[in-house]
Amino acid sequence: TATLYTVDTETGAATKVTDFNDAQEVTGLYILLPEASDEAPAAVTTLSASFTNGSTTGTVSFTAPTTTYDGSQLEGTITYAISINGEEKATGTTTPGAVVTANVENAPEGKATIEVTLSNDKGKSPKAQTSMWIGPDEPLEPKAITVTANEAQGTVALSWQAPTAGVHDGYVNASDITYTVTRQPDDTIVAKGIKATTFTDHLPANKPLTAYYYNVKAVNGKHEGKSASSARVVYGDALQAPYFEDFDSRSSFDLFTVIDNNHDGSTWNYGYQDARYFGSEKNDADDWLITPAIHLKNDRSYVIGFKFKAASETYTEKLAMAIGTGDNPTTYDVMLEPTEFNSSSNLTYEQEITTGEEGDYHLGFHALSEKNNWTISVDSISIAEGTLFAAPGKATNITVTPADKGALK
């Protein structure tokens, strides 16, 4: 154990300061120079600044000290200097103990470090500092972005909440804010300079099925805020059977629609190369995972299949599956009735179906587990083509006539 002492250079007396109990190593010692001369003014107190409504003209206020740096009584006239980001902006004189409010003009916009020093004929005081944002601020990102797709009309309606504050707690005037809306993944600016907090986008027609989302950015004059991203909406030409999805990548999951019916935040998400429902400790599951649209014809049968499992045999999960058209899975036809299971190895579902009408169909997987369970995994979703109803029947009354002398023809 090492110990630090101070030593009186006149008497030689040593006074213990502290022990080093953690095997510290001392690699250097130095003594800081004093911040000011003993008879110079002490630092100002109660330093504050006010630049309102985005103005670069404001005030800086402080209280002059009544003592010198060494604690003696301060007397006489003292001079103050106010600087912002190292540039002097105001000077003047005052007396010990006085409260000063000085006007400052043409302050720089942005992050500002405001310093005040005092001086007398003995020297300059230590610096007193405060920081603030001067001028219009970069707005916070919009909140609560909602997207509602109208598949029939090919539109997406967006809405969001306007920011009411700046990133640096600076000035933001809500009436001055405009918005830029960018559609992804095609990186297309669909709206710019709009003041409304709603917008309707018309999606491009005759395009492959795509998971679209939107970045919404608030702009306060020349100050652009950070973008906030919406949820994804899937739109485009339906996929074709045969169909197979094994969730090898996150992008494949993005084509699925997730409906968190009970709004508890515990819902379907991309798992480990599968789609996975993550359960809640407080709420029973009521969450849908819906495939992208898949075009099915009515002149053949189809074989629907998928694999599913629980995370552990300790947990009993419950899952149902349905098929139908449109965006509302509660109108779909049930294929797999609500089924309880606790197998941590894949279970396989397979069923042959026919469709009454040709159209774009979805499979809906409905998580229904009771609270305090774990996860449901769904993988290897497939729609295979079955029997073609217009195919010719098997041949009958077949006659085989051998060639002359058994020759091969």
Side-chain angles (χ1 to χ4, degrees), residues 112-176:
T113 299
I114 301 170
E115 293 182 346
V116 177
T117 57
L118 302 177
S119 60
N120 61 9
D121 58 355
K122 302 300 182 181
K124 186 179 292 187
S125 72
K127 295 176 181 178
Q129 286 186 348
T130 187
S131 296
M132 67 179 302
W133 188 271
I134 296 176
D137 196 2
E138 172 188 334
L140 292 170
E141 65 269 20
K143 299 291 186 183
I145 301 176
T146 64
V147 286
T148 304
N150 187 317
E151 189 171 318
Q153 296 181 6
T155 60
V156 177
L158 295 94
S159 67
W160 57 88
Q161 293 178 2
T164 57
V167 172
H168 309 94
D169 292 326
Y171 176 72
V172 173
N173 185 350
S175 64
D176 291 339

Side-chain angles (χ1 to χ4, degrees), residues 146-150 154-158 199-203 212 214 233 235:
T146 64
V147 286
T148 304
N150 187 317
T155 60
V156 177
L158 295 94
F199 177 75
T200 299
D201 182 33
H202 294 266
L203 294 171
Y212 293 101
Y214 294 84
V233 292
Y235 181 79

